[in-house]
Amino acid sequence: RKRSCLAAASLPGDRLIACGGHDGERALATVEIFDLRSGKWEDNVEDMPTARSGLAAASIGDKAYAVGGYPDGTAAGSDTHALRCAEMWNDKTKKWIEIAPTKCGRTGPGAVALSLKS
């Protein structure tokens, strides 16, 4: 499937999760997982709760996080339509859950995982 403005993050087991984006007509909630070992895409993954593009993704352990972006029908970088939503993929249960939203909407954000272990 063609899409742009998606976000991706690593998952355990040498895998990559790709989520959201835009197909030229609408924002997507689509999620796919790429297995680096087999070289194959798994596309029967549960969609994110919120369709969006221009989002950020990061992962910590077996959890991936999707943050911000913009909904269908808005221009990239449009602050007035920026989404506050944040969602977490649990790789063990293979489910998305909504988590606390950001304080303000964000389009085109960046995300990075931090470990608090010393």
Side-chain angles (χ1 to χ4, degrees):
R1 280 176 273 208
K2 77 172 189 176
R3 59 180 162 154
S4 61
C5 302
L6 65 148
S10 62
L11 288 173
D14 296 327
R15 295 175 305 134
L16 179 73
I17 188 168
C19 45
H22 202 279
D23 67 3
E25 295 180 20
R26 60 187 164 84
L28 303 171
T30 306
V31 179
E32 299 168 294
I33 294 177
F34 183 70
D35 186 317
L36 292 150
R37 293 178 187 165
S38 70
K40 295 181 180 176
W41 285 96
E42 179 184 342
D43 60 4
N44 59 342
V45 181
E46 178 180 290
D47 286 350
M48 292 184 300
T50 307
R52 60 195 180 215
S53 59
L55 67 154
S59 61
I60 300 173
D62 62 354
K63 310 280 192 307
Y65 300 85
V67 180
Y70 56 96
D72 210 17
T74 60
S78 172
D79 292 336
T80 58
H81 296 286
L83 295 172
R84 295 179 55 226
C85 61
E87 297 155 352
M88 180 187 72
W89 168 257
N90 183 322
D91 199 45
K92 288 184 180 173
T93 65
K94 308 296 185 207
K95 298 284 182 191
W96 285 97
I97 63 165
E98 294 180 35
I99 59 174
T102 60
K103 290 187 179 190
C104 63
R106 306 190 190 279
T107 61
V112 65
L114 297 174
S115 174
L116 299 178
K117 296 178 183 176
S118 52

